[in-house]
Amino acid sequence: MKLLLFECRKHFLKKSIVIAILLFSVLNVVKIYSVYNQTSLLSKSTGSDWNDLYWEMYEDFGGTITKEKIDKLMSIYGPLEKQTADKTVSTAIDNPNTYTGNIYSDTYFFKWNFVNPMEYDYMYRSYANDVVNAAKENMTFFESLGNQYEYKKNAAIADRYTGRMISDFSYIEMYENYFHYDFSAFLVILICMYVLINVFVSEKETEMDVLLLTTKAGGNKTIVAKIMTSAIFVCIVCFWFWLIDFAAFAMIYGSLEGTFSPIYAIENFMNSSIGISLGEYAVLSSLLKTAGILVLSLVFLLISIPFKNVLFPFVLSLITIFGFIYFQELYMGSGRILLKILNPYVLVVNRELFRKTEFVNFFGYPVISYVPAILFAVTWGTLCILSIVLLNRKNTVNRKGVRERVTINL
């Protein structure tokens, strides 16, 4: 415990690191606000002040979807759609008989904010039933061919989609943008890269790594302590930024509505492999992002082992992380699922694991893609830890031997 505390004070409790984290935190909040201005239909930057009107209408149309609510909504939207169909109606912006001052603006307001999303919610049950029926037909077909793998895969799909429905209409714009926000993860990676590269390099610059071998807690104990304190630092930084992300999105978008809606209430997740709520996925995503960054941090530590200054390992770490990002973008959405899940960066942008239902053929048995992705990440992490211990021990012993021979010759 004393060794862990010593390593924490030595490498992580520095004013420069705290200042960097605080500055990046402010930058993160500014970026989230810019995302709101660019993407939210309720943002004033869109040129329409729909926020107050939206929440007034939400009182009528939010919650459980009923025939009465649908009829009421269409009684408003139907005439608007007819009047604007030929684009000859007045474009006056101060029409007192409209909700927003302009009939075209009224049409877009109800279409984008209520009609389209409510139609998606209402029709999703039918869509899920179609997927189940198609999967069952495929099961019959592949069973007749004796193709057990495809039979089992379609059976798993049918099981996952059975009973799916979206019974409530909720404001999910906040969660939709929150789940597609990656800027904070990149900031965390930069911080971890900057800090962790010094963990082993700093002692080589002063040749303290050789001296540590003569101490009671030297050698492997010190290496393990460095890895453990690095992991603790990474977890603290990750959860700090994930907390900022969630709090900033909630405050800037002004709502946590939709927390208990199923994840497939977001249209980009309509084929999701899981059926948990948006709130539950927010927690799961944060944990997986942390796990992914932990693995990347171990890669940074491993890269730094052979070097005596921070410049080269920092450049190599940058190249490595951009390589991970490049290959993630290259195989994102492709059918080459195995190549996608081999990349530990896929845990950082884990929506790619959950927004579609994809399987990996594991000796003839279909395994949902996020399971091997997690196992591959654990393998990456384990190999990195073993390599760090072995390489650091070997390099230190070699340097100690060279130094002893030089001393004897002198």
Side-chain angles (χ1 to χ4, degrees):
M1 184 59 68
K2 288 181 179 179
L3 190 56
L4 290 174
L5 293 174
F6 173 77
E7 290 294 333
C8 282
R9 289 195 300 268
K10 182 179 178 181
H11 296 293
F12 309 120
L13 297 181
K14 296 180 179 179
K15 184 182 294 185
S16 60
I17 296 175
V18 174
I19 292 174
I21 292 174
L22 292 178
L23 288 176
F24 275 27
S25 298
V26 174
L27 178 61
N28 188 38
V29 174
V30 172
K31 177 63 176 179
I32 292 172
Y33 188 74
S34 71
V35 169
Y36 170 75
N37 283 331
Q38 294 169 10
T39 63
S40 176
L41 292 171
L42 307 185
S43 169
K44 292 182 180 180
S45 64
T46 60
S48 302
D49 189 6
W50 288 351
N51 190 74
D52 292 339
L53 177 60
Y54 178 87
W55 293 110
E56 181 182 339
M57 294 292 104
Y58 190 80
E59 290 292 326
D60 293 332
F61 303 120
T64 304
I65 300 174
T66 63
K67 184 178 184 301
E68 291 73 18
K69 289 181 180 180
I70 295 174
D71 291 342
K72 183 177 181 179
L73 177 60
M74 294 311 298
S75 70
I76 298 174
Y77 177 72
L80 291 172
E81 186 181 34
K82 290 179 180 179
Q83 292 179 64
T84 57
D86 57 4
K87 298 183 179 180
T88 58
V89 71
S90 172
T91 59
I93 60 174
D94 56 355
N95 188 337
N97 298 318
T98 61
Y99 292 92
T100 63
N102 177 268
I103 193 167
Y104 289 100
S105 181
D106 278 8
T107 305
Y108 295 136
F109 170 80
F110 283 101
K111 180 179 181 180
W112 293 342
N113 288 294
F114 293 100
V115 175
N116 286 351
M118 189 178 289
E119 181 182 18
Y120 169 78
D121 290 348
Y122 183 76
M123 296 301 297
Y124 186 82
R125 182 175 185 175
S126 176
Y127 170 77
N129 287 335
D130 290 342
V131 172
V132 172
N133 292 333
K136 289 181 177 179
E137 290 177 3
N138 289 338
M139 289 169 61
T140 303
F141 174 72
F142 286 115
E143 186 178 32
S144 67
L145 295 179
N147 190 332
Q148 287 299 306
Y149 174 77
E150 289 296 334
Y151 173 82
K152 292 175 183 178
K153 187 175 77 171
N154 281 277
I157 292 173
D159 181 64
R160 288 174 182 272
Y161 281 77
T162 298
R164 283 192 178 187
M165 60 182 296
I166 305 173
S167 57
D168 292 342
F169 172 74
S170 301
Y171 174 74
I172 59 170
E173 195 177 47
M174 172 267 186
Y175 280 105
E176 186 173 15
N177 290 283
Y178 171 67
F179 292 149
H180 291 81
Y181 181 73
D182 299 323
F183 184 70
S184 60
F186 185 69
L187 294 179
V188 171
I189 290 172
L190 290 180
I191 291 173
C192 293
M193 188 187 306
Y194 166 73
V195 174
L196 297 181
I197 284 173
N198 285 284
V199 170
F200 289 108
V201 172
S202 60
E203 288 174 351
K204 292 180 182 178
E205 291 177 332
T206 59
E207 297 191 346
M208 279 295 295
D209 56 331
V210 176
L211 182 61
L212 284 172
L213 285 176
T214 64
T215 65
K216 184 178 179 179
N220 289 339
K221 288 185 179 180
T222 301
I223 297 170
V224 172
K226 289 179 182 295
I227 294 173
M228 290 179 65
T229 52
S230 298
I232 292 170
F233 171 78
V234 171
C235 289
I236 291 174
V237 173
C238 283
F239 286 119
W240 168 254
F241 275 88
W242 309 158
L243 180 62
I244 289 176
D245 283 353
F246 191 81
F249 269 97
M251 288 188 291
I252 292 173
Y253 280 81
S255 174
L256 285 175
E257 290 284 330
T259 298
F260 300 103
S261 296
I263 189 172
Y264 41 81
I266 297 177
E267 193 165 354
N268 194 35
F269 286 80
M270 67 185 301
N271 295 312
S272 177
S273 58
I274 54 177
I276 61 178
S277 70
L278 296 176
E280 290 169 335
Y281 178 64
V283 175
L284 175 62
S285 177
S286 296
L287 293 173
L288 290 179
K289 282 196 290 185
T290 302
I293 293 177
L294 272 172
V295 174
L296 295 176
S297 297
L298 289 171
V299 173
F300 301 151
L301 287 175
L302 179 60
I303 289 173
S304 70
I305 295 295
F307 299 97
K308 294 178 64 176
N309 63 73
V310 298
L311 179 60
F312 289 113
F314 187 80
V315 172
L316 285 176
S317 295
L318 274 178
I319 294 173
T320 300
I321 190 60
F322 282 122
F324 282 137
I325 294 173
Y326 170 77
F327 282 108
Q328 190 276 327
E329 293 288 335
L330 181 64
Y331 296 114
M332 178 179 62
S334 73
R336 307 178 76 174
I337 304 169
L338 186 60
L339 292 177
K340 178 170 67 175
I341 63 177
L342 277 170
N343 187 347
Y345 190 76
V346 77
L347 294 188
V348 180
V349 286
N350 54 76
R351 62 180 173 275
E352 293 304 319
L353 293 174
F354 297 107
R355 69 184 185 90
K356 294 194 295 184
T357 303
E358 297 177 319
F359 297 88
V360 174
N361 189 337
F362 186 74
F363 298 106
Y365 190 84
V367 180
I368 199 71
S369 62
Y370 58 78
V371 174
I374 295 172
L375 294 177
F376 281 132
V378 171
T379 303
W380 269 90
T382 303
L383 291 175
C384 284
I385 291 173
L386 293 175
S387 299
I388 289 169
V389 173
L390 293 175
L391 287 177
N392 193 76
R393 181 72 176 178
K394 180 180 179 182
N395 289 345
T396 305
V397 170
N398 288 342
R399 291 185 64 219
K400 182 181 178 182
V402 170
R403 185 174 179 181
E404 287 175 347
R405 288 195 297 272
V406 171
T407 302
I408 292 172
N409 291 335
L410 291 174

